[in-house]
Amino acid sequence: IARADKDDRQIAASFGASVVDRDEDAADTKSVDDPDTLYVMNIKGSAFLWHQVRCMANVLFDVGRGKDSPDLVRELLDVSKAFPRKPCYPMASDAPLLLFDCLFEESQLFWQRSFVALHEVLSTIHSTWRSQFIQNRIMETMWRCAQLHLQQVARDIVDNGDAKNKAAGVKQSVLDSARTVVSAPHGKVHGEQLEPLSRLPAKYQRYAERDMEMTREERVNRLSGKELQRYRAR
Protein backbone atom coordinates (compact mmCIF):
# COMPACT_ATOMS: atom_id res chain seq x y z
CA ILE A 1 0.00 0.00 0.00
CA ALA A 2 2.47 2.60 -1.26
CA ARG A 3 4.15 3.77 -4.44
CA ALA A 4 7.52 2.58 -5.67
CA ASP A 5 10.02 5.43 -5.60
CA LYS A 6 10.15 7.30 -8.93
CA ASP A 7 13.95 7.46 -8.60
CA ASP A 8 15.25 4.12 -9.91
CA ARG A 9 18.24 4.41 -7.60
CA GLN A 10 15.86 4.09 -4.66
CA ILE A 11 14.02 0.99 -5.91
CA ALA A 12 15.66 -1.35 -3.43
CA ALA A 13 14.83 0.94 -0.53
CA SER A 14 11.21 1.46 -1.60
CA PHE A 15 9.85 -1.96 -0.72
CA GLY A 16 10.22 -2.16 3.04
CA ALA A 17 8.76 -0.30 6.03
CA SER A 18 6.60 -1.16 8.99
CA VAL A 19 3.61 0.49 10.65
CA VAL A 20 3.70 -0.22 14.37
CA ASP A 21 0.52 1.54 15.51
CA ARG A 22 -2.44 3.56 14.30
CA ASP A 23 -5.69 4.92 15.69
CA GLU A 24 -8.61 7.09 14.58
CA ASP A 25 -10.31 9.77 16.68
CA ALA A 26 -12.97 12.40 16.11
CA ALA A 27 -11.18 15.73 15.97
CA ASP A 28 -14.23 17.77 17.00
CA THR A 29 -17.39 17.44 19.05
CA LYS A 30 -19.89 17.01 16.22
CA SER A 31 -22.08 13.94 16.02
CA VAL A 32 -20.53 10.88 14.37
CA ASP A 33 -23.56 10.93 12.04
CA ASP A 34 -22.68 14.41 10.79
CA PRO A 35 -20.80 14.13 7.45
CA ASP A 36 -18.86 17.27 8.38
CA THR A 37 -17.33 15.63 11.45
CA LEU A 38 -13.54 15.76 11.19
CA TYR A 39 -11.55 12.64 12.04
CA VAL A 40 -7.84 12.26 12.63
CA MET A 41 -5.89 9.10 11.78
CA ASN A 42 -2.62 8.85 13.71
CA ILE A 43 -0.08 6.48 12.16
CA LYS A 44 3.17 5.55 13.88
CA GLY A 45 5.87 3.63 12.05
CA SER A 46 9.55 2.84 11.92
CA ALA A 47 9.67 4.27 8.39
CA PHE A 48 7.29 5.29 5.63
CA LEU A 49 7.44 4.47 1.95
CA TRP A 50 6.82 6.99 -0.80
CA HIS A 51 3.18 8.21 -0.51
CA GLN A 52 2.42 5.29 1.83
CA VAL A 53 0.11 7.19 4.17
CA ARG A 54 -1.86 8.80 1.33
CA CYS A 55 -2.30 5.39 -0.33
CA MET A 56 -3.42 3.86 2.97
CA ALA A 57 -5.93 6.66 3.50
CA ASN A 58 -7.43 6.24 0.02
CA VAL A 59 -7.92 2.50 0.54
CA LEU A 60 -9.58 3.11 3.92
CA PHE A 61 -11.84 5.78 2.40
CA ASP A 62 -13.05 3.39 -0.32
CA VAL A 63 -13.69 0.63 2.24
CA GLY A 64 -15.38 3.05 4.65
CA ARG A 65 -17.72 4.32 1.94
CA GLY A 66 -18.77 0.76 1.24
CA LYS A 67 -17.31 0.77 -2.27
CA ASP A 68 -15.05 -2.20 -1.59
CA SER A 69 -14.91 -5.12 0.82
CA PRO A 70 -13.40 -4.73 4.31
CA ASP A 71 -11.20 -7.70 3.36
CA LEU A 72 -9.46 -5.48 0.82
CA VAL A 73 -6.83 -4.25 3.30
CA ARG A 74 -5.81 -7.78 4.29
CA GLU A 75 -5.78 -8.88 0.64
CA LEU A 76 -3.56 -5.96 -0.43
CA LEU A 77 -1.00 -6.96 2.19
CA ASP A 78 -0.94 -10.55 0.93
CA VAL A 79 1.29 -10.12 -2.13
CA SER A 80 1.52 -13.88 -2.69
CA LYS A 81 -2.18 -14.37 -3.50
CA ALA A 82 -4.82 -11.77 -4.30
CA PHE A 83 -2.52 -8.86 -5.20
CA PRO A 84 0.96 -9.88 -6.35
CA ARG A 85 1.22 -6.34 -7.73
CA LYS A 86 -0.08 -2.99 -6.51
CA PRO A 87 -3.38 -2.06 -8.22
CA CYS A 88 -3.60 1.40 -9.79
CA TYR A 89 -5.64 3.80 -7.68
CA PRO A 90 -5.48 7.51 -6.78
CA MET A 91 -3.96 8.80 -3.56
CA ALA A 92 -5.81 10.73 -0.89
CA SER A 93 -5.23 14.48 -0.78
CA ASP A 94 -1.99 15.70 0.78
CA ALA A 95 -3.76 18.73 2.33
CA PRO A 96 -4.34 17.16 5.78
CA LEU A 97 -1.09 15.13 5.81
CA LEU A 98 1.24 16.18 8.62
CA LEU A 99 4.43 14.72 10.08
CA PHE A 100 4.05 16.03 13.61
CA ASP A 101 6.41 14.03 15.81
CA CYS A 102 9.68 12.11 15.63
CA LEU A 103 11.07 9.94 18.43
CA PHE A 104 14.75 9.51 19.19
CA GLU A 105 16.78 7.66 21.78
CA GLU A 106 17.35 10.09 24.66
CA SER A 107 21.03 9.18 24.72
CA GLN A 108 21.43 10.20 21.07
CA LEU A 109 19.80 13.62 21.07
CA PHE A 110 19.67 16.56 23.45
CA TRP A 111 17.22 19.39 22.75
CA GLN A 112 18.17 22.98 23.46
CA ARG A 113 15.11 25.18 23.82
CA SER A 114 14.93 28.95 23.86
CA PHE A 115 12.07 30.84 25.52
CA VAL A 116 12.39 33.69 23.01
CA ALA A 117 12.39 31.32 20.00
CA LEU A 118 9.41 29.32 21.28
CA HIS A 119 7.54 32.53 22.03
CA GLU A 120 8.11 33.64 18.41
CA VAL A 121 6.99 30.27 17.07
CA LEU A 122 3.81 30.36 19.13
CA SER A 123 3.07 33.92 18.04
CA THR A 124 3.45 32.96 14.36
CA ILE A 125 1.26 29.86 14.73
CA HIS A 126 -1.45 31.82 16.53
CA SER A 127 -1.43 34.57 13.89
CA THR A 128 -1.81 31.99 11.11
CA TRP A 129 -4.56 30.16 12.98
CA ARG A 130 -6.49 33.38 13.64
CA SER A 131 -6.36 34.40 9.99
CA GLN A 132 -7.56 31.00 8.78
CA PHE A 133 -10.21 30.84 11.52
CA ILE A 134 -11.69 34.14 10.30
CA GLN A 135 -11.71 32.87 6.71
CA ASN A 136 -13.35 29.65 7.88
CA ARG A 137 -16.16 31.58 9.60
CA ILE A 138 -16.72 33.70 6.49
CA MET A 139 -17.03 30.57 4.33
CA GLU A 140 -19.33 28.96 6.89
CA THR A 141 -21.63 31.99 6.75
CA MET A 142 -21.68 31.85 2.95
CA TRP A 143 -22.34 28.09 3.14
CA ARG A 144 -25.36 28.54 5.44
CA CYS A 145 -26.84 31.29 3.26
CA ALA A 146 -26.39 29.21 0.10
CA GLN A 147 -28.02 26.24 1.85
CA LEU A 148 -31.13 28.31 2.60
CA HIS A 149 -31.44 29.45 -1.02
CA LEU A 150 -30.86 25.90 -2.28
CA GLN A 151 -33.58 24.54 0.00
CA GLN A 152 -36.09 27.13 -1.21
CA VAL A 153 -35.40 26.53 -4.91
CA ALA A 154 -35.38 22.73 -4.41
CA ARG A 155 -38.78 22.83 -2.71
CA ASP A 156 -40.20 24.96 -5.53
CA ILE A 157 -39.01 22.40 -8.08
CA VAL A 158 -40.43 19.45 -6.14
CA ASP A 159 -43.76 21.24 -5.54
CA ASN A 160 -44.15 21.89 -9.28
CA GLY A 161 -44.67 18.19 -9.93
CA ASP A 162 -43.19 15.93 -12.59
CA ALA A 163 -45.43 17.06 -15.46
CA LYS A 164 -44.76 20.77 -14.98
CA ASN A 165 -41.02 20.19 -14.53
CA LYS A 166 -40.89 18.11 -17.70
CA ALA A 167 -42.73 20.78 -19.66
CA ALA A 168 -40.28 23.37 -18.32
CA GLY A 169 -37.32 21.27 -19.48
CA VAL A 170 -36.03 20.45 -16.00
CA LYS A 171 -33.53 17.61 -16.30
CA GLN A 172 -34.11 14.42 -14.34
CA SER A 173 -30.73 14.79 -12.62
CA VAL A 174 -31.79 18.23 -11.35
CA LEU A 175 -35.12 16.89 -10.14
CA ASP A 176 -33.48 13.96 -8.35
CA SER A 177 -30.97 16.31 -6.70
CA ALA A 178 -33.78 18.66 -5.60
CA ARG A 179 -35.60 15.74 -3.96
CA THR A 180 -32.38 14.79 -2.16
CA VAL A 181 -32.05 18.31 -0.77
CA VAL A 182 -35.70 18.44 0.37
CA SER A 183 -35.47 15.04 2.07
CA ALA A 184 -32.07 15.69 3.71
CA PRO A 185 -32.08 16.26 7.50
CA HIS A 186 -32.33 20.01 8.11
CA GLY A 187 -31.88 20.50 4.37
CA LYS A 188 -28.13 19.91 4.63
CA VAL A 189 -26.37 18.15 1.77
CA HIS A 190 -22.74 17.13 1.74
CA GLY A 191 -19.88 15.70 -0.26
CA GLU A 192 -20.91 13.57 -3.22
CA GLN A 193 -24.42 15.10 -3.15
CA LEU A 194 -22.83 18.42 -4.15
CA GLU A 195 -20.92 17.15 -7.19
CA PRO A 196 -21.64 19.29 -10.29
CA LEU A 197 -24.85 18.04 -11.88
CA SER A 198 -23.25 18.25 -15.32
CA ARG A 199 -20.70 15.62 -14.28
CA LEU A 200 -21.74 12.02 -14.81
CA PRO A 201 -21.08 9.82 -11.77
CA ALA A 202 -18.00 7.71 -12.37
CA LYS A 203 -18.49 3.95 -12.25
CA TYR A 204 -16.51 2.51 -9.37
CA GLN A 205 -14.02 -0.18 -10.31
CA ARG A 206 -13.11 -2.63 -7.59
CA TYR A 207 -9.41 -2.94 -6.78
CA ALA A 208 -9.23 -6.54 -8.01
CA GLU A 209 -10.45 -5.39 -11.46
CA ARG A 210 -7.94 -2.55 -11.91
CA ASP A 211 -4.69 -2.46 -13.86
CA MET A 212 -1.63 -3.42 -11.84
CA GLU A 213 1.69 -1.61 -11.46
CA MET A 214 5.06 -3.22 -12.14
CA THR A 215 6.73 -5.37 -9.51
CA ARG A 216 10.14 -4.57 -8.05
CA GLU A 217 11.78 -7.17 -10.27
CA GLU A 218 10.17 -5.68 -13.38
CA ARG A 219 11.38 -2.20 -12.44
CA VAL A 220 14.91 -3.50 -11.93
CA ASN A 221 14.86 -5.31 -15.27
CA ARG A 222 14.07 -2.00 -16.99
CA LEU A 223 17.29 -0.41 -15.73
CA SER A 224 20.17 -0.06 -18.17
CA GLY A 225 23.47 1.73 -18.61
CA LYS A 226 24.52 4.00 -15.75
CA GLU A 227 21.23 3.47 -13.92
CA LEU A 228 21.86 -0.29 -13.81
CA GLN A 229 25.47 0.27 -12.72
CA ARG A 230 24.33 2.53 -9.87
CA TYR A 231 21.74 -0.01 -8.79
CA ARG A 232 24.28 -2.87 -8.75
CA ALA A 233 26.73 -0.72 -6.80
CA ARG A 234 24.30 -0.19 -3.94
Side-chain angles (χ1 to χ4, degrees), residues 151-172:
Q151 293 169 30
Q152 294 170 359
V153 175
R155 187 163 295 282
D156 290 341
I157 292 175
V158 173
D159 290 344
N160 283 338
D162 292 344
K164 191 173 182 179
N165 282 319
K166 185 176 181 180
V170 177
K171 295 182 179 180
Q172 186 62 43

Side-chain angles (χ1 to χ4, degrees), residues 95-114:
L97 181 62
L98 175 66
L99 176 63
F100 68 92
D101 195 12
C102 294
L103 302 180
F104 303 91
E105 293 291 339
E106 294 184 2
S107 60
Q108 298 178 351
L109 187 67
F110 298 92
W111 293 105
Q112 294 183 353
R113 297 183 294 178
S114 164

Side-chain angles (χ1 to χ4, degrees), residues 29-167:
T29 57
K30 294 179 181 178
S31 168
V32 294
D33 296 325
D34 190 334
D36 283 336
T37 299
L38 180 65
Y39 286 86
V40 174
M41 180 169 63
N42 295 315
I43 301 177
K44 184 188 300 183
S46 60
F48 293 109
L49 302 179
W50 190 39
H51 294 318
Q52 178 181 354
V53 175
R54 293 175 62 188
C55 289
M56 291 170 59
N58 188 84
V59 171
L60 293 177
F61 287 155
D62 285 339
V63 172
R65 291 173 179 142
K67 293 182 176 180
D68 231 299
S69 167
D71 294 331
L72 174 63
V73 178
R74 176 179 52 79
E75 293 172 352
L76 283 172
L77 295 175
D78 187 359
V79 296
S80 64
K81 295 182 180 179
F83 292 95
R85 306 182 185 188
K86 175 184 176 294
C88 298
Y89 57 86
M91 297 181 295
S93 169
D94 63 343
L97 181 62
L98 175 66
L99 176 63
F100 68 92
D101 195 12
C102 294
L103 302 180
F104 303 91
E105 293 291 339
E106 294 184 2
S107 60
Q108 298 178 351
L109 187 67
F110 298 92
W111 293 105
Q112 294 183 353
R113 297 183 294 178
S114 164
F115 174 82
V116 175
L118 287 173
H119 189 280
E120 186 68 22
V121 169
L122 183 60
S123 176
T124 301
I125 292 175
H126 181 265
S127 176
T128 302
W129 170 84
R130 185 178 180 84
S131 175
Q132 295 185 359
F133 180 76
I134 293 173
Q135 292 298 317
N136 177 270
R137 284 305 177 93
I138 291 175
M139 295 304 298
E140 184 177 355
T141 300
M142 295 172 64
W143 164 264
R144 293 183 185 279
C145 291
Q147 283 274 15
L148 291 175
H149 289 291
L150 183 65
Q151 293 169 30
Q152 294 170 359
V153 175
R155 187 163 295 282
D156 290 341
I157 292 175
V158 173
D159 290 344
N160 283 338
D162 292 344
K164 191 173 182 179
N165 282 319
K166 185 176 181 180

